[in-house]
Amino acid sequence: MTLRDIKRGWLRSLDIIGDIAVIEVKPEFDEIKHEIAEKILKEAKYIKVVVEKKSPVSGEHRVMDLEWLTGERRFTTIHREYGCIFKLDISKVYFTPRLSTERMRIARMVRAGEVIVNMFAGIGTYSIIIAKRALEKPSKIYSIDINPHAYNYALENVKINKVEDIVIPILGDAKEVITSRLMGVADRVLMPYPELALKYLEYAIMALKDSGGIIHAYDFIKYMKTEDPRNKMKERYEEKLKEFNVEYEILDIRRTGEVAPREYRMVIDIKILNKNGFKRF
Ligand SMILES: C[S@@+](CC[C@H](N)C(=O)[O-])C[C@H]1O[C@@H](n2cnc3c(N)ncnc32)[C@H](O)[C@@H]1O
């Protein structure tokens, strides 16, 4: 039996983070979840810990409730992505391996010398991948997060990946960090937190240079059969951009994952062309 068979038969979801398998068991197999976990350890030798995801990510720090099922007794691991190394404790910080392609897409857009503000940086995932894998090197990536555990891991990961000269982790609320020390500095702003992106869009605009720049905002879009999720995303962001009275161009709108039936995680790439008339509310 392969890991794929185990997933197909018994699991609602399976994510591999470093050497930890994070599983959601189909409700009808809840009673045999420990046996399923043992099978996973046996079938995939590189997995050393199996944990059950007991809740969706929640709270300000976006962490999930976990139950340890089998293997080594720990929630800490080292995850590798595109040659970058990420240390983390999956019970204390947010991390998903599902956005790796999206992280690389952003990295490939970055141009030489750019200043980037990552408003919701977690353990430094996007920032470190950009610093190490962008074809042209950015000059600085300010990586803000409000979770002290995420900030501490970001500091450590920046050192492990030897990008201390580029990535600057900052602990705090993105809104306060930007208004107090990062106004008008950025060529590009990342907003990888769907629950807060629209609400904090004005701070992303504030972080951009007077000459404008690019914002990548992530959001969840629920849609009906008759609706186009890309249009819904576009309308949601255009309404705000018009309120702010900035000149803009929508460069791209993409799906970055399906989070539930008829609900996508999406990203919109917005180019702010001119913020002279920018109005805050
Ligand atoms: C969905 S996670 C994304 C983390 C990271 N970008 C990644 O992809 O791994 C959102 C992150 O935003 C942080 N966060 C929540 N509210 C925040 C705020 N007001 N200012 C800065 N960070 C915040 C959380 O602690 C969490 O790490």
Side-chain angles (χ1 to χ4, degrees):
M1 179 175 271
T2 64
L3 203 52
R4 219 168 151 187
D5 298 327
I6 294 174
K7 183 173 179 215
R8 207 176 292 147
W10 291 310
L11 304 181
R12 270 173 47 189
S13 74
L14 166 70
D15 284 296
I16 311 286
I17 305 179
D19 59 2
I20 303 182
V22 182
I23 64 172
E24 281 180 291
V25 178
K26 289 180 184 166
E28 61 271 34
F29 300 118
D30 191 55
E31 283 193 357
I32 57 159
K33 66 184 182 189
H34 288 96
E35 284 97 306
I36 297 171
E38 290 301 334
K39 274 192 196 301
I40 293 173
L41 273 197
K42 203 165 146 239
E43 290 312 318
K45 296 290 177 216
Y46 58 93
I47 292 174
K48 303 291 181 217
V49 187
V50 182
V51 302
E52 185 185 17
K53 179 175 171 183
K54 304 287 286 179
S55 74
V57 292
S58 67
E60 189 172 56
H61 297 169
R62 313 312 295 155
V63 289
M64 47 192 169
D65 285 336
L66 296 170
E67 182 185 333
W68 176 89
L69 293 178
T70 191
E72 295 173 18
R73 283 201 173 264
R74 59 176 161 83
F75 291 117
T76 53
T77 190
I78 294 177
H79 185 84
R80 288 181 170 76
E81 188 174 298
Y82 294 117
C84 303
I85 295 169
F86 297 103
K87 269 181 87 170
L88 71 154
D89 180 329
I90 60 167
S91 68
K92 294 191 173 139
V93 299
Y94 175 93
F95 178 81
T96 176
R98 297 184 191 188
L99 286 168
S100 60
T101 314
E102 173 60 14
R103 293 192 263 269
M104 190 52 111
R105 181 184 79 91
I106 303 288
R108 293 290 146 124
M109 293 170 80
V110 168
R111 294 290 160 257
E114 277 191 11
V115 175
I116 300 170
V117 171
N118 183 352
M119 290 174 67
F120 311 111
I123 59 165
T125 32
Y126 279 84
S127 305
I128 291 170
I129 286 177
I130 293 170
K132 279 194 89 164
R133 300 304 306 266
L135 299 175
E136 298 176 15
K137 289 285 166 235
S139 68
K140 282 280 172 279
I141 308 175
Y142 297 102
S143 282
I144 309 166
D145 205 282
I146 206 164
N147 176 354
H149 297 292
Y151 165 73
N152 284 326
Y153 275 115
L155 285 175
E156 208 177 337
N157 289 328
V158 161
K159 277 201 195 113
I160 296 171
N161 290 282
K162 300 189 173 55
V163 288
E164 303 102 306
D165 52 333
I166 299 179
V167 181
I168 317 289
I170 302 173
L171 176 63
D173 181 332
K175 159 175 138 181
E176 271 142 36
V177 174
I178 287 172
T179 49
S180 64
R181 53 187 278 206
L182 295 177
M183 296 281 278
V185 301
D187 299 289
R188 186 180 300 274
V189 178
L190 274 52
M191 309 186 79
Y193 180 14
E195 287 81 354
L196 216 55
L198 193 65
K199 195 168 160 211
Y200 272 34
L201 188 61
E202 61 182 300
Y203 303 104
I205 299 172
M206 284 180 213
L208 286 179
K209 289 178 176 164
D210 288 344
S211 52
I214 293 171
I215 297 172
H216 305 281
Y218 295 79
D219 214 325
F220 294 130
I221 297 289
K222 288 191 176 135
Y223 64 99
M224 317 254 268
K225 227 177 184 171
T226 50
E227 291 175 319
D228 176 354
R230 293 178 77 254
N231 273 344
K232 279 194 93 172
M233 182 82 171
K234 184 165 181 270
E235 281 164 15
R236 184 179 291 178
Y237 279 81
E238 285 202 315
E239 194 185 326
K240 269 274 181 235
L241 291 162
K242 283 181 184 140
E243 269 178 37
F244 292 146
N245 198 36
V246 289
E247 273 178 47
Y248 64 90
E249 186 187 333
I250 305 294
L251 300 179
D252 204 354
I253 302 174
R254 294 167 171 254
R255 276 163 39 179
T256 59
E258 189 166 15
V259 292
R262 296 210 185 290
E263 184 172 1
Y264 289 134
R265 186 193 312 102
M266 303 194 77
V267 57
I268 184 165
D269 300 338
I270 306 161
K271 184 165 189 176
I272 302 294
L273 301 163
N274 184 335
K275 46 183 259 195
N276 290 343
F278 179 35
K279 275 198 274 188
R280 289 188 57 192
F281 293 92

